[in-house]
């Protein structure tokens, strides 16, 4: 009876730990303050990938989300400095970027056997539309249905009116979002409001969503992040940036120091990368940054050009050192043992000869 009770308690503790782990796991930052769904539903972002191209005048952001949960719809809003054009993106873009930035693989050998090597293991082997009407607080630049996305492009002169319009037109966003929009309204930015809804009625939002491509004029490379301060869990930002030079953020904006995981020149872009850059060569920079406390995010990312220092991660593949297919340690120790035995035998023989009396 005690054993059964102990097993039940152990199982309950494990399940509780699993639930707590899922609650504190970091989310991927989208600059939108998280996806918002109905109170009775839930949605989580397993990963968000963003690829950005900037040519000094225009910026294109391609975003792809991988989501889970039981939500039938969700929404978010992305501020942009100028009028935006919104289309569907190419899913192959992120696969190609992953290939271009794959770590360099190197082999290195080790001498003494490890736990997966013989004799410790039985196996042996290597291991532009019209804007707001004059006097209107919210202007609808355009509204389109793009695959699973209901996209509204908006202008606004009043954050309260913008929040009201969004909620009235099916973009169920929290009331606490409204005051966070004020800095963008004051700078006369525009907005891309996105409502995700499956094309089939009753279907859940799950898995990898079709990428969304947003293009707007910008004299500096900016990535909106301020609204991520509304997120309830730690955030991680991942950016692949294609520009004339290596690009890095001017400030940490409340997060940890950004880490460059790849930097290199792409002289002959092809496929979806060429479609993003217009076929022009570009320097590709990949950044990751963690935001343990999203409430400390105090601005958007503005990126600047730095020295085009190349960088690629290196992944080592360890291999047991062999000679003619035999482990070097075995040959070395075997040879050492043979030399030792030979030396001992020669010493014994020499001692016997010295002890043998010479005939008279």
């Amino acid at each position: 009876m005690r054993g059964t009770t102990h097993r039940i308690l152990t199982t309950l503790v494990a399940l509780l730990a699993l639930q707590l782990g899922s609650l504190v796991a970091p989310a991927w930052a989208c600059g939108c303050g998280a996806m918002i769904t109905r109170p009775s539903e839930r949605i989580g972002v397993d990963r968000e990938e963003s690829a950005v191209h900037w040519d000094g005048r225009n910026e294109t952001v391609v975003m792809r989300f991988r989501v889970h949960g039981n939500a039938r719809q969700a929404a978010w809003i992305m501020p942009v400095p100028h009028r935006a054009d919104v289309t569907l993106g190419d899913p192959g873009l992120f696969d190609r970027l992953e290939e271009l930035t794959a770590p360099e693989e190197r082999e290195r050998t080790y001498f003494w056997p490890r736990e997966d090597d013989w004799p410790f293991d039985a196996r042996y082997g290597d291991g532009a539309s019209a804007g707001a009407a004059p006097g209107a607080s919210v202007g609808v630049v355009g509204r389109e249905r793009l695959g699973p996305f209901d996209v509204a492009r908006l202008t606004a002169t009043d954050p309260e009116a913008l929040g009201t319009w969004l909620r009235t037109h099916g973009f169920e966003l929290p009331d606490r979002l409204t005051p966070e929009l004020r800095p963008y309204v004051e700078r006369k930015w525009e907005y891309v409001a996105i409502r995700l809804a499956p094309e089939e009625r009753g279907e859940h939002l799950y898995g990898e969503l079709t990428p969304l491509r947003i293009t707007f004029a910008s004299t500096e490379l900016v990535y909106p992040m301020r609204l991520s301060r509304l997120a309830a869990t730690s955030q991680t930002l991942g950016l692949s940036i294609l520009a004339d030079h290596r690009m890095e953020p001017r400030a940490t904006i409340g997060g940890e120091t950004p880490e460059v995981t790849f930097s290199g020149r792409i002289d002959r872009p092809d496929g979806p990368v060429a479609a993003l850059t217009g076929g022009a060569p570009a320097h590709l920079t990949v950044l990751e940054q963690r935001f343990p406390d999203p409430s400390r995010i105090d601005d958007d990312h503005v990126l600047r050009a730095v020295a085009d220092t190349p960088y690629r991660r290196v992944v080592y593949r360890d291999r047991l050192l062999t000679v003619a297919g035999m482990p070097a340690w075995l040959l070395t120790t075997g040879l050492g043992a043979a030399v030792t035995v030979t030396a001992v035998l020669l010493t014994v023989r020499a001692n016997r000869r010295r002890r043998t009396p010479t005939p008279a």
Side-chain angles (χ1 to χ4, degrees), residues 28-102:
W28 289 84
C30 61
C32 55
M35 290 186 181
I36 309 299
T37 187
R38 296 168 178 169
S40 61
E41 299 176 345
R42 65 180 183 86
I43 188 170
V45 181
D46 294 323
R47 183 174 180 85
E48 179 243 338
E49 299 168 288
S50 290
V52 180
H53 175 247
W54 182 65
D55 62 8
R57 300 181 305 276
N58 296 291
E59 181 174 340
T60 299
V61 179
V62 183
M63 309 170 72
R64 180 173 71 173
F65 296 94
R66 186 169 65 227
V67 301
H68 68 271
N70 63 353
R72 290 179 173 83
Q73 67 177 38
W76 83 90
I77 183 170
M78 181 175 179
V80 289
H82 291 95
R83 184 65 42 84
D85 180 53
V86 185
T87 58
L88 294 179
D90 186 343
L93 171 64
F94 298 99
D95 295 332
R96 184 63 183 128
L97 289 174
E98 187 174 347
E99 292 172 1
L100 290 171
T101 60

Side-chain angles (χ1 to χ4, degrees), residues 186-328:
E186 292 173 351
R187 285 186 283 171
K188 295 182 170 57
W189 280 35
E190 297 192 5
Y191 311 89
V192 177
I194 301 153
R195 187 173 66 89
L196 294 112
E199 298 181 64
E200 298 294 330
R201 183 179 295 275
E203 191 176 323
H204 292 162
L205 289 166
Y206 191 84
E208 222 160 61
L209 304 179
T210 306
L212 202 60
R213 176 174 171 144
I214 304 170
T215 301
F216 49 89
S218 183
T219 56
E220 58 184 2
L221 202 168
V222 58
Y223 190 78
M225 281 293 301
R226 185 191 297 269
L227 296 185
S228 285
R229 62 185 283 113
L230 297 175
T233 60
S234 63
Q235 302 280 288
T236 299
L237 173 66
L239 280 180
S240 297
I241 304 162
L242 290 149
D244 289 340
H245 299 283
R246 173 169 167 167
M247 306 296 291
E248 294 186 14
R250 291 180 182 173
T252 60
I253 64 167
E256 296 180 352
T257 302
E259 178 188 4
V260 175
T261 61
F262 179 87
S263 171
R265 188 77 180 167
I266 310 298
D267 290 317
R268 294 182 179 85
D270 57 7
V273 176
L276 180 58
T277 66
H283 194 100
L284 174 58
T285 312
V286 180
L287 298 168
E288 285 204 4
Q289 184 183 15
R290 291 185 67 253
F291 295 88
D293 182 2
S295 66
R296 296 181 60 187
I297 297 175
D298 57 10
D299 206 347
D300 299 315
H301 262 319
V302 177
L303 295 101
R304 57 175 180 166
V306 297
D308 293 339
T309 307
Y311 174 76
R312 184 187 293 270
R313 282 176 170 171
V314 176
V315 175
Y316 288 97
R317 177 176 173 268
D318 292 337
R319 181 179 63 84
L320 182 67
L321 181 62
T322 60
V323 177
M326 291 290 292

Side-chain angles (χ1 to χ4, degrees), residues 164-185:
T164 300
W165 188 98
L166 290 167
R167 284 182 283 275
T168 301
H169 290 81
F171 297 85
E172 298 187 27
L173 297 167
D175 293 336
R176 61 196 179 99
L177 175 71
T178 301
E180 298 295 340
L181 294 171
R182 184 170 297 281
Y184 298 110
V185 171

